[in-house]
Amino acid sequence: MNGEMEAATQHQVWAQEDLLRLLDAMKVALPQKDFTKYKTSEAHLDWQKVAFNSFTAEMCKQKWLEVSKEIRKFRTLTELIFDAQDYIKNPYKGKKIKKHPDFPKKPLTPYFRFFMEKRAKYAKLHPEMSNLDLTKILSKKYRELPEKKKKKYVEDFLRDKETFVQSMMKFRELHPDLMESMTKKGSNVPEKPKTPQQLWYNHEKKAFLKTRPDATTKDIKDSLGKQWTQLSDKKRLKWITKSLEQQKQYEGTMREYIQQHPELNMTQENIVKSTLTKAERHLKDKSDGRPDKPPPNGYSMFCAELMSSMKDVPSTERMVMCSQRWKLLKQGEKDAYQKRCEQRKKEYEIEMNRFLSSLSVEEQQRVLGEDKFGYKKGSAAGSPAAKKRASKAKTSPEKPKRPISAMFIFSEEKRPKLQQERQDLSDSELTRLLARMWNDLPDKKKEKYKRLEAVLKAESVKKEKEDRNRLPDPPKTAQDIWQQSVIGDYLARFKNDRPKAQKAMEATWSTMEKKEKIMWIKKAAEDQKRYERELCEMRSPAVAAIASGKKIKFEGEPKKPPSNGYQKFSQEMLSNGELNHLPMKERMTEIGSRWQRLALKDKDRYKKIAEEIQRQYKVLLEQWLASLSSQERNTYKEYNSQKRRSTAKPGGPKAKTKKSDTEEEDEDEDDEPEKASSDADSSSEDDEDEDEEDDDVSILGFIQ
């Protein structure tokens, strides 16, 4: 592209008039006071403003570079003499103005007057002390000084300050040219508006200095620092309103200033957009009549109402209590909360439209933008589950999506028809109705949707297998990594001529010392490790899964049943929902105590049931292993052996010593209630593994 542009520039005929016009356009585009180096100005020049007639911005830039090669870029002695003459005429110009003999000196503060008066005395009394120690002592003495004695120094300071102000006014009248040079570049730019806190601080600072004129900046900050946060909403609104008025005035004057000074290359982006924080903006909108956002669903509304009466409950326990109480509600009560929530949303829309109609067009756009990004209908972006999904998405962006379930296929098929028939229902109510319809559907009709789910799942597994079989990117050498980091500079130097840039980079690399190459060699070693790690994960997925802490889910593998009578009893108690109102730890403690009270006959019955299930499980496992290919079987065995090794390590669970079968059985029966909490954890983990297939890694994805 750049080569074509250069060719176009060469073929385009530049007459002398065009060249002179180019230079005039560049003059106009430059800032009024151009004090920077020519390279800096050249880099920041807006060539779009320089372009004219058929000459584009890029063509003008290329032509200037050609012309600049033919002219000198250094200063002659004659030009330096002109600057020297200017300096002799105005030796105090700019920052040296304070060295002018007539420039008035600022008066010493009350503390410095006290310090200068007492320093010599304390230096004689304590000759061994350093200047820093003396300063600390004197500053402490000044703070402890009574107000009557301080008054003398304050009065002297105020008297000298008045004379300084008068002397400064005289100096401005006598030396107007020097005062102009003292002003900062761009001082005529409109002053930025102040925030509400800054306006309040300046107001309070003046009142504070009236009572304590000798106070330092630190004293003022310490006194006023915490008061702003303690102000009432009414008082804070007063300063918010003043800040917004300043903001409007600033925007108007700034637009005029930009139009009057096109040479400054300023745009609307240079205007300060807002002086308010989010909390201040929310307070202002609320006072103007902006309605509060409703909860996204019925559960959130229930939690909000319940939490208002939980002020004494610790914040960590509130959501747990809300969740437990929500589970105890009947379906009709839950539906009532959902209907109230939907009604509140409708009211919110009406109130929001009324509020928007009272605002200007710009304010309407701002409020609608905040509402769009800050609140999504029916979303739960801040929930732990959403955060977990977001973290998974970040860590595995290329992971294929989970195939659609049979129930979801059924819902998508029936939803359009239901929406036409039941227009009074909201989306969430419609979803609940579809879920009930799916549960009531006969098994024969469900088979159609389950077949579709199996087809989609097979396609997903096939795609995942193809993705996993791809070899990782080969490792890069130190030279390759270095060239990748500097290629942009070399292409710019050789005008996008890649072969020349490549040769130059190779020549530079060959002449580089070993010290300079060390950093790139280390990066190449890290890349090599990355390649080996990814290759190991691809060739031996079981080892990689154990190392990364992932759990592999083998497709078709029979689920492990309870290993003893207590586990069977525990599973039965957890599945019947009788103890669902209790937290998991308390639930398992209750199950343990019930097991202790159980008759011996009932314990033997549960034990026999568990043994029978174990026998059935072994038969099913053997049949499943026989159905696998040799490669799949080896992967399964490797995974289980690696898992056993990892748990047998010193950091893992303690290995049991060999005992007789009867001893183990007796121990199991005695220890079951003590294992309640660990069984709770394992049972909850098993449930999570079934529900969240995203956390599992399919065996088919690992087979090459």
Side-chain angles (χ1 to χ4, degrees):
M1 184 72 186
N2 290 336
E4 291 175 10
M5 190 61 74
E6 285 177 25
T9 310
Q10 288 172 358
H11 292 306
Q12 189 82 25
V13 179
W14 285 78
Q16 189 178 18
E17 292 176 2
D18 296 329
L19 289 170
L20 291 171
R21 188 170 175 184
L22 168 67
L23 298 176
D24 289 337
M26 286 175 68
K27 275 184 186 178
V28 172
L30 282 169
Q32 197 170 10
K33 294 179 180 180
D34 182 25
F35 300 122
T36 56
K37 292 181 181 179
Y38 88 93
K39 274 285 182 188
T40 308
S41 298
E42 186 181 83
H44 290 86
L45 195 66
D46 188 355
W47 292 97
Q48 292 292 342
K49 291 183 178 180
V50 176
F52 62 96
N53 293 347
S54 60
F55 299 105
T56 63
E58 188 61 31
M59 290 165 72
C60 291
K61 185 179 178 180
Q62 291 295 334
K63 195 64 187 174
W64 163 250
L65 292 173
E66 286 178 26
V67 172
S68 64
K69 287 176 184 176
E70 306 300 323
I71 57 174
R72 60 184 175 80
K73 300 178 188 68
F74 54 87
R75 300 171 74 200
T76 61
L77 183 59
T78 309
E79 289 166 335
L80 287 170
I81 288 168
F82 283 125
D83 281 358
Q85 287 173 342
D86 189 34
Y87 166 72
I88 290 163
K89 289 176 184 176
N90 301 298
Y92 302 105
K93 197 173 182 180
K95 292 179 182 178
K96 295 178 181 178
I97 188 170
K98 290 183 181 180
K99 293 183 180 180
H100 196 283
D102 298 337
F103 191 83
K105 289 183 180 179
K106 283 187 177 180
L108 293 174
T109 61
Y111 164 69
F112 264 105
R113 291 169 188 274
F114 170 81
F115 179 83
M116 297 300 289
E117 185 181 298
K118 303 292 182 182
R119 188 182 177 282
K121 179 185 172 182
Y122 277 86
K124 283 181 182 179
L125 289 170
H126 305 283
E128 75 285 353
M129 282 191 177
S130 64
N131 287 332
L132 182 63
D133 294 333
L134 279 171
T135 306
K136 286 179 181 178
I137 288 172
L138 288 167
S139 63
K140 188 180 177 182
K141 290 282 182 187
Y142 181 77
R143 282 197 298 273
E144 294 169 355
L145 208 65
E147 291 297 325
K148 286 182 181 180
K149 291 186 178 181
K150 271 187 186 178
K151 193 176 179 182
K152 170 197 167 187
Y153 301 106
V154 172
E155 285 175 354
D156 291 345
F157 165 72
L158 293 172
R159 186 175 59 254
D160 289 353
K161 190 178 179 182
E162 286 178 11
T163 55
F164 170 75
V165 171
Q166 291 174 1
S167 303
M168 201 67 197
M169 288 171 67
K170 286 180 182 178
F171 185 82
R172 282 196 181 94
E173 291 172 4
L174 294 169
H175 307 280
D177 53 335
L178 291 177
M179 293 309 294
E180 278 180 20
S181 67
M182 191 184 177
T183 55
K184 294 178 182 177
K185 180 189 172 184
S187 60
N188 55 342
V189 176
E191 188 182 355
K192 290 180 181 179
K194 287 183 169 56
T195 63
Q197 189 174 358
Q198 286 172 340
L199 290 169
W200 169 84
Y201 181 83
N202 291 341
H203 177 267
E204 293 296 317
K205 183 181 174 182
K206 288 176 183 176
F208 188 83
L209 286 170
K210 282 180 181 178
T211 56
R212 287 187 58 189
D214 59 325
T216 61
T217 308
K218 188 178 181 297
D219 295 335
I220 298 166
K221 283 183 178 178
D222 291 343
S223 177
L224 303 177
K226 296 176 183 178
Q227 289 183 27
W228 171 254
T229 53
Q230 296 168 359
L231 277 183
S232 63
D233 289 347
K234 282 185 179 180
K235 289 182 178 178
R236 204 177 292 186
L237 274 168
K238 169 190 168 184
W239 300 106
I240 289 169
T241 309
K242 285 186 177 182
S243 179
L244 287 172
E245 287 171 3
Q246 274 196 11
Q247 173 75 20
K248 284 181 183 177
Q249 290 175 1
Y250 166 78
E251 285 174 1
T253 52
M254 196 66 188
R255 286 193 190 97
E256 290 176 8
Y257 181 79
I258 290 169
Q259 290 175 358
Q260 291 169 5
H261 301 275
E263 72 280 356
L264 295 174
N265 299 330
M266 293 178 80
T267 59
Q268 296 293 325
E269 293 175 3
N270 296 103
I271 300 174
V272 176
K273 291 179 181 177
S274 179
T275 56
L276 306 185
T277 61
K278 284 185 180 179
E280 289 164 355
R281 175 60 69 185
H282 178 72
L283 181 63
K284 181 71 172 72
D285 286 345
K286 195 174 180 181
S287 69
D288 291 342
R290 182 173 180 172
D292 291 325
K293 290 175 186 176
N297 49 49
Y299 174 68
S300 298
M301 179 175 272
F302 171 78
C303 290
E305 289 178 2
L306 196 61
M307 280 186 180
S308 61
S309 60
M310 286 186 178
K311 291 178 182 177
D312 299 331
V313 180
S315 57
T316 52
E317 296 176 15
R318 287 177 194 169
M319 286 310 297
V320 177
M321 289 179 71
C322 287
S323 176
Q324 288 170 0
R325 293 193 188 182
W326 176 259
K327 286 176 183 176
L328 294 172
L329 292 180
K330 294 177 182 177
Q331 189 60 42
E333 292 173 321
K334 290 180 180 179
D335 291 341
Y337 272 104
Q338 188 62 35
K339 283 179 181 177
R340 278 176 59 198
C341 182
E342 295 297 332
Q343 182 62 32
R344 180 70 192 89
K345 284 179 183 178
K346 289 173 184 175
E347 290 171 5
Y348 170 75
E349 285 178 11
I350 295 164
E351 290 171 10
M352 193 64 175
N353 289 331
R354 194 184 300 133
F355 170 69
L356 288 169
S357 62
S358 65
L359 301 176
S360 62
V361 178
E362 290 178 0
E363 285 294 296
Q364 283 180 10
Q365 289 174 353
R366 176 187 64 79
V367 172
L368 289 170
E370 286 174 5
D371 203 49
K372 182 181 178 183
F373 295 108
Y375 170 71
K376 290 184 180 178
K377 198 173 181 179
S379 71
S383 65
K387 287 175 183 176
K388 187 176 178 183
R389 287 194 295 271
S391 65
K392 281 184 186 178
K394 285 179 184 177
T395 53
S396 55
E398 295 178 4
K399 189 175 179 180
K401 291 180 180 178
R402 186 169 65 176
I404 298 169
S405 65
M407 180 188 165
F408 190 83
I409 297 166
F410 167 80
S411 301
E412 290 302 300
E413 184 183 296
K414 302 292 181 186
R415 188 181 288 273
K417 188 179 177 182
L418 269 176
Q419 280 176 334
Q420 290 178 354
E421 292 174 358
R422 301 292 302 274
Q423 293 181 0
D424 57 317
L425 295 178
S426 64
D427 289 342
S428 54
E429 288 172 334
L430 205 64
T431 305
R432 283 198 292 275
L433 179 61
L434 285 163
R436 285 197 286 270
M437 285 171 66
W438 170 258
N439 291 332
D440 298 338
L441 203 69
D443 291 336
K444 286 184 179 180
K445 291 186 178 180
K446 281 184 181 179
E447 282 178 10
K448 168 192 168 184
Y449 302 103
K450 286 180 179 177
R451 282 196 299 272
L452 285 169
E453 181 189 3
V455 171
L456 291 169
K457 191 173 183 180
E459 288 176 2
S460 175
V461 167
K462 186 181 176 183
K463 189 178 179 184
E464 188 177 350
K465 182 181 174 183
E466 289 171 358
D467 290 343
R468 288 188 180 279
N469 285 340
R470 290 176 190 161
L471 284 168
D473 294 332
K476 292 175 183 175
T477 62
Q479 186 175 349
D480 291 339
I481 296 169
W482 173 78
Q483 285 185 1
Q484 197 174 358
S485 67
V486 298
I487 192 166
D489 298 334
Y490 278 83
L491 285 172
R493 191 188 302 175
F494 292 96
K495 296 181 180 178
N496 288 335
D497 191 339
R498 192 168 283 274
K500 283 184 181 178
Q502 188 67 34
K503 284 180 183 178
M505 284 191 292
E506 287 171 3
T508 308
W509 178 261
S510 60
T511 56
M512 278 171 72
E513 293 182 10
K514 194 173 181 180
K515 288 180 182 179
E516 296 173 306
K517 291 181 181 179
I518 283 172
M519 182 177 74
W520 308 105
I521 292 166
K522 284 181 181 177
K523 287 186 178 181
E526 287 172 9
D527 197 47
Q528 179 68 30
K529 284 179 184 176
R530 185 267 315 161
Y531 173 75
E532 288 170 2
R533 184 176 63 253
E534 290 178 3
L535 201 64
C536 175
E537 286 175 6
M538 193 188 76
R539 288 177 178 170
S540 183
V543 178
I546 291 289
S548 61
K550 290 179 183 175
K551 183 177 179 181
I552 300 178
K553 186 170 183 179
F554 296 90
E555 192 177 352
E557 181 190 5
K559 189 181 176 184
K560 288 182 182 178
S563 59
N564 52 50
Y566 172 74
Q567 285 189 10
K568 177 61 186 168
F569 173 76
S570 177
Q571 188 186 60
E572 191 177 289
M573 292 297 295
L574 288 168
S575 59
N576 64 18
E578 187 182 338
L579 303 173
N580 282 357
H581 63 284
L582 295 172
M584 183 55 76
K585 283 190 179 179
E586 292 177 22
R587 208 180 299 177
M588 294 311 299
T589 307
E590 177 63 24
I591 290 169
S593 62
R594 288 190 186 189
W595 174 260
Q596 292 277 14
R597 295 194 299 270
L598 209 65
L600 193 61
K601 286 181 182 180
D602 292 330
K603 285 185 179 179
D604 288 338
R605 182 171 60 84
Y606 279 109
K607 186 178 176 182
K608 285 175 183 177
I609 293 168
E611 286 171 356
E612 181 59 31
I613 296 170
Q614 278 288 331
R615 278 195 291 273
Q616 291 174 7
Y617 167 71
K618 285 176 182 176
V619 172
L620 289 171
L621 187 65
E622 285 174 6
Q623 289 175 357
W624 176 72
L625 284 169
S627 68
L628 297 177
S629 65
S630 58
Q631 195 173 7
E632 290 172 342
R633 203 177 302 114
N634 290 336
T635 306
Y636 177 76
K637 288 177 181 177
E638 185 185 6
Y639 172 73
N640 282 315
S641 63
Q642 287 288 337
K643 197 174 179 182
R644 280 194 291 273
R645 281 190 216 118
S646 67
T647 53
K649 284 179 183 178
K654 291 179 182 178
K656 291 183 180 178
T657 56
K658 288 186 177 181
K659 295 183 181 179
S660 66
D661 294 340
T662 54
E663 284 177 349
E664 284 185 1
E665 284 177 10
D666 293 339
E667 272 191 7
D668 288 342
E669 294 298 331
D670 294 336
D671 294 344
E672 294 310 334
E674 293 174 10
K675 293 178 184 174
S677 59
S678 63
D679 285 337
D681 296 337
S682 63
S683 64
S684 60
E685 282 175 14
D686 290 340
D687 294 339
E688 283 175 10
D689 292 338
E690 286 178 12
D691 295 339
E692 296 185 15
E693 293 182 7
D694 287 343
D695 294 340
D696 301 327
V697 185
S698 175
I699 177 66
L700 296 176
F702 285 123
I703 306 304
Q704 294 181 16

